[in-house]
Amino acid sequence: MAVQITIRGVPERTRDRLKARAALKGQSMQAFLRFELERIASQPSIEEWLEEVREHKRIFGTRIPTSAILGARDADRK
């Protein structure tokens, strides 16, 4: 069942920009914002992503030696 979300205190400039973006896509602002909220919610947060990376590293270890990483970094600086 769908729920309603109310956001108070949104600056007019922000509302106007969102309304313009929705119009460019031929959508109502409600449809545009619903899509954007679903897109945001479907992606892991940076904290969740980092935890997944740390867990993967804990399980599988590091496969690239530090010297290779530093060498690639330094080669890119030349």
Side-chain angles (χ1 to χ4, degrees), residues 22-42:
L24 285 173
K25 291 189 168 195
Q27 297 177 322
S28 68
M29 193 154 72
Q30 178 177 329
F32 175 79
L33 291 173
R34 182 174 43 242
F35 176 83
E36 289 298 314
L37 287 171
E38 290 173 357
R39 183 183 62 78
I40 291 166
S42 71

Side-chain angles (χ1 to χ4, degrees), residues 15-27 32 36:
R15 183 213 48 210
D16 293 344
R17 286 178 156 178
L18 292 169
K19 189 174 180 180
R21 288 181 187 181
L24 285 173
K25 291 189 168 195
Q27 297 177 322
F32 175 79
E36 289 298 314

